[in-house]
Amino acid sequence: MKNTIQVGFWEKLARIILKNRITILIVLSALTIFLALQWKNLSMTYTEANLLPKDHIANKDYQKFLDKFGEEGNLVVIGFKDPKFFTPKNYAAWNELMTGLKKSKEVDLVVSLNDLKKLEKDTVNEKFVLSPFIDQSKALDPAYLKTVQYDLFHNLPFYEGLLFNKESGSVRSAIYINKALVNTAERKTFILENLVPKIDKFEKTTGIDLRVSGMPYIRTINADNMKGEIGLFIGAALLTVSLIFFFFFRSFRATFISICILIVGVIWSFGTLGLFGYKITILTAIIPPLIIVIGITNCIFLINKYQQEIKLHNNQAKALQRVISKIGVSTLMTNLTTAIGFATFMITGNDLLFEFGLVTSINVISVYLLTLFIVPIIYSFMPLPKEKHLYHLTKTYISTLLNVVENLVKTKRKIVYIVYGLLLVFSVIGVSQMKVSGSLIGEMPKSASFFKDILFYEKEFNGVMPLEIMIDTKKKKGVMKASTIRKMDELQTTIAEIPELAKPVSIVNLVKYSKQAFYNGNPEYYQLPTSQEQAFILSYAKNATKNSKENLMKAYVDSTGQYARITTFMKDIGTDEMAKVEKKLHTKIDEIFPKDRYEVTVTGKALVFQKGTSYLVDNLIESLIFAIAVIAILMLYLFRSFKMVMASVITNILPLCITSGLMGYFGIPLKPSTILVFSIAFGISVDNAIQFMAKYKHDLLQSGGKVKKSVFSALRETGISTFYTSVVLILGFATFTLSSFSGTIALGGLISCTLAFAMFANLVVLPSLVLTFEKKKTKKEELENLDKKIFFATNFTNFTN
């Protein structure tokens, strides 16, 4: 009874669609125009991806740090390693570059060689004063600049690791962007229209290769590259799927209709982003090409069914009715499973993934409805397809492929299961070798110039990824107590001994510099004051900090003197290495800072990102399990057979296992981009299983419960669409490998790989499992057929006798 109601609904829907063609087209056109107008709300994101929920302890610690010291990712570094720098011409060009940047309204502070300050003792006022390190009136004297070079590397240990590397001779300057602008569009304007042209001019003038890095610079260039790739993805995806579509169907009009549907789908996807006010991120940027690749499969199923019906009875009205009533329900289920695969990202607790999952799942269903309406309506206005348009249904290579598949399912199921088992064992071994990577720059394009600059800073200054340690003394002015300074110095010694971390900077550095200045700049006295010295040296230092404009360390102690920060930078290390570094730091912190007197927090963008990756791995595995469970329940509702659901799930888990194994063997880590592969791939790959099962169930009813006949008739009809859609999806996702972003390349390549294995599984493994699960019925059918053959043979023998 339920099945009758279901079929009646889809037949009624078909009549409504075909009777209201003009009205539906007008509504769809109006909706497209409305969503196109929402594009005005689109803009690129200006912040890093936060992979953790807002209430996660790591996010709370980081926010507490920001509340005390403000945005920490506002540093841009410009450096070089060139012995020719210390000449009048090159120094003058450097002075012009730095002076120009210092005058920019977007810049808060520039710490550079040309206006470097050195700390000196003012015995009259009993305080330290900052005086220029370089006498600009002598800057045209080559001999003087050589003296400056020597003094910099030998007499200013305070700036070592901060502005220069004594061993290699590399030098850099630090540009601090206005914290209020660092996460806005003004940062982009400053970087692209002010900073980059000035750097280009310096390089042309001097021939010195400047190395530029820092999170504001990296994020800006990265976003600019990402923006340029959106058009590339959309164009490549459209071109790829349309060429493959035409190759299969050999019909210009079918191809044109499909392209038009996909273009409208792209408009809707961008419009949805604008409507919700979401920014374009590394994830939401790939939604339009995803919709193209996924949407074309709907076109293939509907147009292929239409042409099959025309070939069968040559009745257009009947064919269009059946396209909607027969394929509508199965394609609805396939699109629901795909949408569920994306929607699982919404339960991770992460805003970035929530936006991606919501918009993609909405647009998957939207493009399905669009195709369900447009294909029958447009074909209803057109003449019947010609014979040449139906030729692909009887192509030799398709028939040969299906014959091979049918033979494997009929006679070699044991071999199929042995291969399945071996692949499973192979996968498990590979999975055991998988690693997790939380690299903040691991998703960035390796070919980009800034990536080479990152490697330069890792080698010369031990990285540019900020790591912060905030110390709460629980008392006002507690930071400047001698005991606190000594504890901070002990922690900094530990940090300096960790090879993955750069030389730390804090108020301790200024205290050491104060002693050096007190002893007339002698670098041998760059150390903490003794108990006898600290009273009068710290009094000099306190007097110096009264002038906030010339306070070297004002960013490292809060206004109350209760909170201090130690800033270091880290290399681009993986999650496992970062966990070891964090453990070392916490062990030392617990050793030297009593918890009843101090509260010490380790935080920073790089650490939050690392923890976010680990969090995603745990939550997306749960999401994948949730997706499989929900899809299985939907299939159980549709097919009312636990065996059919088990066959479909087992079939489509294998490709995920194989992909995981390959990731382990080839050293591809689990990271934010590759984690997404599994839910997406499962949601898409199970579509072909649903198409097969829907046809099998239909034929089972038509044939009076004959399993074998129904399996092979379903395989024959859905095998063509499975092959077509799989090839289109594989090559469609392969277009993502055109990206310069390694994360996007991995996403496209791994999904393509998974879908390739899924095609094999759905064509061969799924029908084999159905026959095995229904073994009793098939044996009974074979006995009945045998009895019939014996009966006819006996009658024939008696008749001839």
Side-chain angles (χ1 to χ4, degrees):
M1 180 67 183
K2 189 168 183 62
N3 188 57
T4 306
I5 294 171
Q6 190 181 53
V7 172
F9 166 77
W10 287 98
E11 288 180 340
K12 185 177 180 181
L13 178 63
R15 287 196 294 271
I16 292 172
I17 291 172
L18 295 172
K19 281 184 179 180
N20 300 277
R21 296 175 297 176
I22 302 300
T23 303
I24 290 172
L25 288 176
I26 291 172
V27 170
L28 291 177
S29 300
L31 184 58
T32 303
I33 293 170
F34 169 75
L35 289 172
L37 292 174
Q38 304 308 307
W39 284 33
K40 66 180 183 293
N41 300 322
L42 291 174
S43 62
M44 301 297 294
T45 183
Y46 296 103
T47 59
E48 291 101 347
N50 190 339
L51 305 179
L52 291 170
K54 290 179 181 178
D55 59 351
H56 193 278
I57 184 64
N59 260 343
K60 288 182 177 179
D61 287 344
Y62 184 58
Q63 189 56 52
K64 186 177 178 182
F65 169 83
L66 294 180
D67 292 341
K68 292 296 176 185
F69 294 101
E71 173 63 46
E72 44 108 27
N74 66 328
L75 172 65
V76 174
V77 288
I78 304 174
F80 57 86
K81 184 180 178 182
D82 195 320
K84 302 191 300 292
F85 172 79
F86 288 94
T87 63
K89 177 189 174 185
N90 294 338
Y91 174 78
W94 181 261
N95 191 31
E96 180 185 349
L97 169 64
M98 291 299 137
T99 303
L101 291 174
K102 193 174 183 179
K103 291 178 180 177
S104 301
K105 62 181 178 63
E106 297 89 353
V107 174
D108 268 351
L109 175 68
V110 174
V111 181
S112 177
L113 178 64
N114 63 304
D115 62 351
L116 200 62
K117 306 296 183 183
K118 61 180 180 180
L119 203 62
E120 293 184 337
K121 180 173 62 173
D122 180 355
T123 54
V124 175
N125 297 306
E126 294 188 343
K127 69 175 185 176
F128 296 117
V129 294
L130 292 170
S131 60
F133 173 61
I134 297 177
D135 184 349
Q136 299 297 334
S137 64
K138 299 179 181 179
L140 296 177
D141 182 358
Y144 174 71
L145 290 179
K146 289 296 180 183
T147 304
V148 167
Q149 182 180 10
Y150 179 86
D151 286 344
L152 177 68
F153 289 114
H154 294 87
N155 296 328
L156 291 177
F158 173 76
Y159 291 108
E160 185 177 356
L162 183 65
L163 292 184
F164 68 86
N165 182 327
K166 184 177 179 180
E167 293 181 2
S168 68
S170 56
V171 178
R172 68 177 178 180
S173 63
I175 294 94
Y176 293 89
I177 295 177
N178 188 324
K179 293 178 180 180
L181 306 179
V182 76
N183 290 323
T184 68
E186 290 183 60
R187 182 201 76 209
K188 173 191 171 185
T189 304
F190 167 71
I191 296 291
L192 296 180
E193 298 180 14
N194 190 342
L195 179 67
V196 172
K198 282 182 169 63
I199 289 171
D200 290 341
K201 181 182 177 182
F202 174 87
E203 290 181 332
K204 288 178 182 177
T205 303
T206 64
I208 295 174
D209 182 22
L210 291 184
R211 305 288 187 163
V212 189
S213 196
M215 294 312 297
Y217 179 79
I218 292 171
R219 285 156 53 191
T220 301
I221 303 300
N222 211 33
D224 202 50
N225 290 341
M226 182 174 66
K227 185 178 179 180
E229 288 194 353
I230 295 175
L232 171 68
F233 286 153
I234 293 172
L238 271 176
L239 180 63
T240 301
V241 299
S242 58
L243 286 175
I244 299 168
F245 188 94
F246 180 76
F247 175 78
F248 287 150
F249 287 90
R250 300 299 171 94
S251 169
F252 283 108
R253 69 181 182 184
T255 306
F256 180 74
I257 292 168
S258 301
I259 290 174
C260 289
I261 291 171
L262 298 178
I263 290 173
V264 173
V266 169
I267 294 172
W268 285 18
S269 61
F270 275 127
T272 310
L273 285 170
L275 183 65
F276 291 152
Y278 293 158
K279 303 288 185 183
I280 296 177
T281 65
I282 189 71
L283 280 180
T284 56
I286 65 173
I287 292 177
L290 274 175
I291 296 303
I292 290 171
V293 175
I294 294 169
I296 195 67
T297 61
N298 296 319
C299 298
I300 289 173
F301 279 122
L302 268 67
I303 293 173
N304 189 59
K305 179 63 176 175
Y306 173 68
Q307 293 183 350
Q308 285 178 339
E309 291 292 329
I310 292 296
K311 187 174 179 64
L312 187 65
H313 49 69
N314 208 40
N315 184 325
Q316 187 181 55
K318 187 177 180 181
L320 292 173
Q321 283 272 353
R322 287 191 173 181
V323 164
I324 299 171
S325 61
K326 302 295 182 185
I327 298 297
V329 63
S330 59
T331 49
L332 172 62
M333 288 302 298
T334 60
N335 281 275
L336 276 176
T337 57
T338 302
I340 288 168
F342 287 105
T344 54
F345 299 136
M346 296 169 61
I347 64 173
T348 61
N350 174 262
D351 290 344
L352 186 70
L353 287 174
F354 178 88
E355 293 173 7
F356 174 68
L358 176 63
V359 174
T360 310
S361 55
I362 288 173
N363 279 279
V364 165
I365 299 301
S366 298
V367 80
Y368 156 73
L369 294 173
L370 190 64
T371 310
L372 187 66
F373 292 144
I374 294 294
V375 169
I377 288 174
I378 297 300
Y379 269 105
S380 69
F381 289 111
M382 292 183 169
L384 289 172
K386 296 178 183 178
E387 189 62 33
K388 65 178 182 179
H389 298 142
L390 308 178
Y391 172 71
H392 72 95
L393 297 172
T394 56
K395 280 181 181 177
T396 307
Y397 70 87
I398 291 291
S399 300
T400 303
L401 173 67
L402 293 178
N403 288 337
V404 171
V405 169
E406 191 171 312
N407 182 56
L408 285 172
V409 175
K410 273 183 180 178
T411 63
K412 295 183 171 60
R413 288 203 294 276
K414 285 186 179 179
I415 295 175
V416 169
Y417 296 149
I418 289 170
V419 171
Y420 187 108
L422 290 173
L423 287 173
L424 204 56
V425 172
F426 167 85
S427 302
V428 170
I429 296 171
V431 168
S432 66
Q433 300 175 30
M434 287 180 70
K435 294 182 179 180
V436 178
S437 170
S439 166
L440 191 58
I441 63 172
E443 308 283 354
M444 298 176 183
K446 302 291 188 294
S447 58
S449 58
F450 70 77
F451 194 86
K452 296 175 184 177
D453 292 348
I454 290 172
L455 298 181
F456 169 83
Y457 282 104
E458 286 202 348
K459 180 182 178 183
E460 300 294 328
F461 296 95
N462 274 23
V464 291
M465 304 294 115
L467 182 68
E468 301 283 353
I469 299 172
M470 185 171 72
I471 300 163
D472 178 6
T473 62
K474 298 183 179 181
K475 291 181 180 179
K476 288 186 177 181
K477 298 183 180 180
V479 172
M480 293 308 295
K481 286 189 175 182
S483 59
T484 302
I485 296 295
R486 283 196 299 271
K487 291 178 186 297
M488 290 176 65
D489 184 48
E490 189 176 347
L491 179 57
Q492 288 191 197
T493 301
T494 300
I495 293 171
E497 291 171 352
I498 299 174
E500 294 85 0
L501 300 180
K503 181 183 176 182
V505 181
S506 74
I507 188 65
V508 172
N509 300 64
L510 179 58
V511 173
K512 290 180 178 181
Y513 194 19
S514 299
K515 180 173 178 177
Q516 179 188 352
F518 189 81
Y519 287 99
N520 301 315
N522 188 338
E524 293 181 4
Y525 288 95
Y526 183 75
Q527 55 191 242
L528 289 181
T530 63
S531 55
Q532 291 82 9
E533 297 167 328
Q534 64 188 19
F536 48 88
I537 289 179
L538 288 181
S539 68
Y540 269 63
K542 288 177 182 177
N543 289 334
T545 58
K546 290 177 182 177
N547 186 348
S548 61
K549 290 184 180 179
E550 293 189 344
N551 184 358
L552 286 174
M553 289 283 114
K554 65 179 181 179
Y556 292 89
V557 180
D558 80 320
S559 58
T560 66
Q562 179 177 330
Y563 292 88
R565 70 190 274 199
I566 299 174
T567 298
T568 182
F569 295 92
M570 57 185 282
K571 292 182 178 180
D572 182 35
I573 55 178
T575 304
D576 292 341
E577 290 300 315
M578 185 61 228
K580 292 176 184 177
V581 170
E582 191 179 3
K583 185 179 179 181
K584 285 182 185 177
L585 291 175
H586 280 295
T587 301
K588 192 65 178 178
I589 288 168
D590 293 341
E591 178 187 325
I592 61 179
F593 288 98
K595 291 187 177 180
D596 59 326
R597 291 166 50 202
Y598 298 94
E599 183 180 341
V600 183
T601 306
V602 181
T603 186
K605 276 184 168 56
L607 184 64
V608 170
F609 189 85
Q610 296 269 7
K611 290 184 178 296
T613 302
S614 299
Y615 174 86
L616 276 189
V617 172
D618 296 337
N619 280 267
L620 286 175
I621 289 172
E622 293 176 8
S623 300
L624 175 60
I625 295 170
F626 177 75
I628 293 171
V630 172
I631 290 170
I633 291 169
L634 277 175
M635 293 176 70
L636 188 63
Y637 172 79
L638 180 66
F639 299 126
R640 299 288 197 250
S641 169
F642 184 73
K643 289 180 180 179
M644 291 171 74
V645 173
M646 284 299 296
S648 301
V649 172
I650 290 171
T651 297
N652 286 282
I653 281 178
L654 174 64
L656 302 184
C657 295
I658 295 173
T659 301
S660 301
L662 290 174
M663 288 174 65
Y665 285 117
F666 289 104
I668 301 171
L670 275 175
K671 53 185 180 178
S673 55
T674 56
I675 291 170
L676 303 178
V677 168
F678 302 103
S679 293
I680 295 174
F682 183 81
I684 294 173
S685 67
V686 80
D687 292 354
N688 288 323
I690 291 173
Q691 292 287 352
F692 172 82
M693 287 299 193
K695 178 60 181 169
Y696 165 69
K697 183 183 177 183
H698 174 268
D699 290 355
L700 198 64
L701 293 172
Q702 295 293 318
S703 65
K706 293 180 179 179
V707 174
K708 272 194 172 182
K709 182 181 178 181
S710 302
V711 165
F712 292 116
S713 65
L715 183 59
R716 281 281 166 186
E717 181 166 327
T718 62
I720 297 173
S721 295
T722 296
F723 177 73
Y724 284 178
T725 55
S726 296
V727 171
V728 169
L729 286 167
I730 290 164
L731 295 179
F733 277 105
T735 59
F736 287 7
T737 59
L738 297 173
S739 173
S740 59
F741 292 87
S742 60
T744 309
I745 294 171
L747 179 70
L750 291 171
I751 291 179
S752 293
C753 179
T754 307
L755 295 178
F757 288 117
M759 178 175 68
F760 156 77
N762 283 304
L763 284 174
V764 180
V765 178
L766 180 58
S768 298
L769 285 173
V770 172
L771 290 175
T772 300
F773 286 167
E774 301 291 357
K775 199 171 184 178
K776 288 183 179 179
K777 289 184 179 179
T778 55
K779 278 190 175 181
K780 187 178 178 182
E781 288 175 19
E782 288 173 0
L783 289 173
E784 288 176 355
N785 290 334
L786 183 62
D787 289 342
K788 286 179 181 179
K789 287 179 182 178
I790 293 171
F791 175 76
F792 283 118
T794 304
N795 286 342
F796 180 75
T797 303
N798 292 335
F799 177 76
T800 54
N801 290 334

